[in-house]
Amino acid sequence: EAQVTQNPRYLITVTGKKLTVTCSQNMNHEYMSWYRQDPGLGLRQIYYSMNVEVTDKGDVPEGYKVSRKEKRNFPLILESPSPNQTSLYFCASSGDEQFFGPGTRLTVL
Amino acid sequence: ILNVEQSPQSLHVQEGDSTNFTCSFPSSNFYALHWYRWETAKSPEALFVMTLNGDEKKKGRISATLNTKEGYSYLYIKGSQPEDSATYLCALILTDYKLSFGAGTTVTVRA
């Protein structure tokens, strides 16, 4: 089954404690992306990757890092999370269509 | 950041009625326009990918048109059913491969 997986699905953490949200796809897609969704603001792109070792900033990259060492994986790294990064995060991969992961709800206290 | 606007923000439709709503954008400088359907507590799901001026796509009772010259896309729902209740998102794939989403139109179908 074609899918995008994210882990963890829910995470409560404290300010400054580094965390990684994993994302993996099994569709051999070259394009992968991370979004955050906040009430009233819609989906905003954080980072995207056109292929292995190629990453670019989206509209809201501050406070986030990504890596693309393998085609299937695109982890999102928060080196020092802050409360304003509390949000719902989606990973996605694209061929002709974009497929979204199930989402990760992150709370930073 | 390309400003993608969707209107209205929300609408209520009586079951069986048809409805439509708009995605508008200031520039034709993009590769494609996507429409997504997003149900509560789920992930967005792709409905249509539109690339050419004049494109028309249809999936069941839902259809979409694209007018790049005047900067808008319409999504139509014919004979709305309760299962059509969702937020509908449009997004532009820009020439640098960034994606820019609108804030969505939330449709509630009343039985």
Side-chain angles (χ1 to χ4, degrees), chain A residues 2-107:
Chain A
Q3 60 181 351
V4 179
T5 57
Q6 291 178 232
N7 282 292
R9 296 287 312 279
Y10 302 90
L11 179 60
I12 300 174
T13 188
V14 294
T15 298
K17 187 176 181 181
K18 181 179 179 179
L19 66 92
T20 299
V21 184
T22 64
C23 173
S24 183
Q25 51 99 359
N26 63 0
M27 294 168 279
N28 202 35
H29 287 158
E30 292 182 345
Y31 189 100
M32 296 186 74
S33 187
W34 276 102
Y35 303 93
R36 62 178 288 173
Q37 194 270 327
D38 302 292
L41 293 178
L43 283 168
R44 293 181 293 168
Q45 193 173 42
I46 302 170
Y47 270 95
Y48 64 101
S49 170
M50 297 290 293
N51 212 328
V52 175
E53 303 292 359
V54 179
T55 62
D56 285 289
K57 295 178 180 179
D59 290 332
V60 287
E62 295 78 20
Y64 304 95
K65 287 175 60 177
V66 292
S67 70
R68 189 89 183 274
K69 293 184 172 58
E70 305 164 281
K71 200 173 190 179
R72 64 182 291 123
N73 296 322
F74 190 44
L76 180 70
I77 303 154
L78 285 71
E79 294 269 3
S80 183
S82 61
N84 65 12
Q85 293 179 298
T86 292
S87 189
L88 177 61
Y89 292 87
F90 286 101
C91 179
S93 75
S94 299
D96 293 331
E97 292 183 356
Q98 181 163 228
F99 293 85
F100 284 83
T104 295
R105 188 165 291 282
L106 173 66
T107 302

Side-chain angles (χ1 to χ4, degrees), chain A residues 31 33 35 37 40-45 48 50 57-59 88 90 96-103, chain B residues 1-2 9 34 36 38 41-47 49 59 89 93 96-103:
Chain A
Y31 189 100
S33 187
Y35 303 93
Q37 194 270 327
L41 293 178
L43 283 168
R44 293 181 293 168
Q45 193 173 42
Y48 64 101
M50 297 290 293
K57 295 178 180 179
D59 290 332
L88 177 61
F90 286 101
D96 293 331
E97 292 183 356
Q98 181 163 228
F99 293 85
F100 284 83
Chain B
I1 298 176
L2 189 70
Q9 185 175 2
H34 290 192
Y36 296 87
W38 193 1
K42 294 187 178 180
S43 303
E45 291 183 350
L47 279 173
V49 177
K59 188 179 287 188
L89 301 172
I93 319 304
D96 57 0
Y97 297 99
K98 282 185 182 178
L99 266 83
S100 189
F101 276 86

Side-chain angles (χ1 to χ4, degrees), chain B residues 6-17:
Chain B
Q6 292 189 247
S7 62
Q9 185 175 2
S10 64
L11 61 91
H12 291 80
V13 189
Q14 199 66 34
E15 182 176 0
D17 288 350

Side-chain angles (χ1 to χ4, degrees), chain B residues 30-71:
Chain B
F30 58 91
Y31 283 130
L33 182 144
H34 290 192
W35 279 102
Y36 296 87
R37 170 192 166 87
W38 193 1
E39 294 181 69
T40 303
K42 294 187 178 180
S43 303
E45 291 183 350
L47 279 173
F48 303 117
V49 177
M50 312 183 78
T51 55
L52 300 174
N53 185 44
D55 251 358
E56 294 186 20
K57 297 285 177 78
K58 186 175 181 182
K59 188 179 287 188
R61 294 178 291 97
I62 301 177
S63 60
T65 60
L66 176 62
N67 186 324
T68 59
K69 292 181 180 178
E70 296 187 27

Side-chain angles (χ1 to χ4, degrees), chain B residues 66-86:
Chain B
L66 176 62
N67 186 324
T68 59
K69 292 181 180 178
E70 296 187 27
Y72 65 84
S73 176
Y74 288 146
L75 193 90
Y76 302 87
I77 304 175
K78 183 178 179 182
S80 302
Q81 299 297 309
E83 59 264 30
D84 296 327
S85 296

